[in-house]
Amino acid sequence: MLDVRRLRLLRELARRGTIAAVAEALAFSPSAVSQQLAVLEREAGLPLLERTGRRVRLTPAAQNLVRHAEAVLERLEQADADLAEARCGLAGVLRVGSFPTATRAIVPAALVHLARRHPGLEPRVRETDPAAVAHALRAGDLDVALVHEYDFVPAPPEPGLATRPLYGEAMYLAAQAVPPVAAAPVGPAPDGGSDQGAVLRTHQDEPWITATPGTLCHAMTVRACQAAGFAPRIRHQVDEFDTVLALVAAGQGVAVVPQLGVTGPPDPAVALTRLHMERRTKVAFRSGAAAHPAVAAFTAALRASVPPDLAGTGSGG
């Protein structure tokens, strides 16, 4: 009989490529991962791994086994959901991942909503970049998470995970207002015109402010500029949007920011021009966990906490 814990290791190896990466993600030693995979090979009765230098490659039999493992793990999530539903009331820890703007604008109200209806549930929020959510969910470090994608950075399908759309938000080109007019604070312009590329090209010779490399926000800005026909000259790399806007106000560059990244009263030193692109936020969880009462309750709390100017603007996925 194949052991489901070893099947999980094989699935992670298929995703991560090296035994060391699997060990780091799942808090095992590399030798322990190798030993467990060797046991799985004996259980399977045929080779599952081929070494290619420092990496290992899955044999065709192992790749087929990974597909079965995905189905098995999804059914186990469904079984856990059924058991949780049969219990009397929701209780226990719910591990939640969220990115900073959603943590500030959506999650607090959702936690209040959840506490009123399910006081025995203990959500624990951890800020997690969307790029790292898939691994954290599959490893069991998170139960549910908020993730986002951009028009120029669509989220690829992730084996073993499912998502539900939550909301969409507008994107703006932030530039220093010249000259700043204190008597008439500059807020978001209603529209950037029909040609988004023209709006971006207006600033192609200026320095740009992006998020740090490896994040979806960084990739979004770079790809949007490339689609407009130029490569941005990046001066600053900052992840916190309030800081990004402060740098824009100081004349340090231009940036693309999402609606939830613009907080507080409008800064008269910053001009915001609406772009024809969107950031879409989704709720992510392991496949088969949609019906888990705790996941369903938190998803419902999130939906009830989306601000009215965001509700209904998200697209499906």
Side-chain angles (χ1 to χ4, degrees):
M1 179 68 69
L2 299 176
D3 185 282
V4 68
R5 293 168 297 181
R6 297 183 187 113
L7 289 175
R8 193 185 299 274
L9 290 175
L10 184 67
R11 182 189 67 174
E12 287 303 307
L13 182 60
R15 295 294 301 167
R16 298 172 187 271
T18 68
I19 288 175
V22 174
E24 181 178 1
L26 301 182
F28 291 155
S29 68
S31 61
V33 173
S34 296
Q35 290 169 7
Q36 291 300 308
L37 291 173
V39 173
L40 182 61
E41 280 191 315
R42 290 197 295 272
E43 291 174 345
L46 74 170
L48 298 177
L49 305 177
E50 298 173 346
R51 291 205 169 269
T52 56
R54 298 180 63 182
R55 300 176 68 89
V56 292
R57 182 173 58 193
L58 273 64
T59 65
Q63 293 171 1
N64 189 48
L65 189 55
V66 168
R67 287 191 287 270
H68 287 295
E70 294 287 2
V72 167
L73 292 169
E74 181 173 348
R75 289 302 298 270
L76 287 174
E77 289 291 340
Q78 293 170 350
D80 185 53
D82 289 344
L83 290 172
E85 188 174 10
R87 300 186 190 109
C88 182
L90 283 179
V93 173
L94 179 70
R95 295 159 298 180
V96 178
S98 179
F99 54 92
T101 51
T103 304
R104 173 183 52 77
I106 309 294
V107 171
L111 295 178
V112 171
H113 184 95
L114 193 67
R116 288 172 179 164
R117 287 157 180 77
H118 307 287
L121 199 59
E122 184 185 345
R124 296 181 181 178
V125 178
R126 185 178 80 189
E127 285 198 344
T128 307
D129 188 87
V133 161
H135 290 328
L137 284 170
R138 281 195 294 263
D141 296 330
L142 296 175
D143 300 309
V144 62
L146 289 169
V147 297
H148 59 59
E149 65 176 7
Y150 295 93
D151 288 343
F152 288 98
V153 194
E158 287 285 355
L161 300 188
T163 61
R164 297 290 183 271
L166 186 60
Y167 63 85
E169 58 187 299
M171 299 294 297
Y172 295 94
L173 187 284
Q176 187 180 42
V178 181
V181 181
V186 179
D191 200 302
S194 60
D195 186 352
Q196 173 172 289
V199 174
L200 297 175
R201 285 193 296 274
T202 300
H203 302 278
Q204 64 180 321
D205 295 327
E206 299 179 47
W208 282 73
I209 305 165
T210 71
T212 52
T215 62
L216 300 182
C217 296
H218 174 87
M220 171 272 300
T221 298
V222 171
R223 293 182 188 179
C225 291
Q226 290 173 339
F230 69 97
R233 180 167 58 87
I234 299 172
R235 173 179 290 178
H236 303 297
Q237 296 176 345
V238 177
D239 288 325
E240 211 283 319
F241 288 117
D242 282 345
T243 305
V244 169
L245 292 173
L247 290 170
V248 171
Q252 289 296 300
V254 297
V256 177
V257 298
Q259 183 176 344
L260 288 181
V262 182
T263 61
D267 186 338
V270 177
L272 298 171
T273 303
R274 172 74 183 268
L275 299 173
H276 289 287
M277 56 191 290
E278 188 180 58
R279 181 169 79 168
R280 294 174 293 278
T281 293
K282 302 178 181 182
V283 186
F285 39 80
R286 288 182 290 276
S287 297
H292 192 289
V295 172
F298 186 69
T299 301
L302 287 169
R303 293 194 187 285
S305 304
V306 174
D309 58 337
L310 298 179
T313 61
S315 57

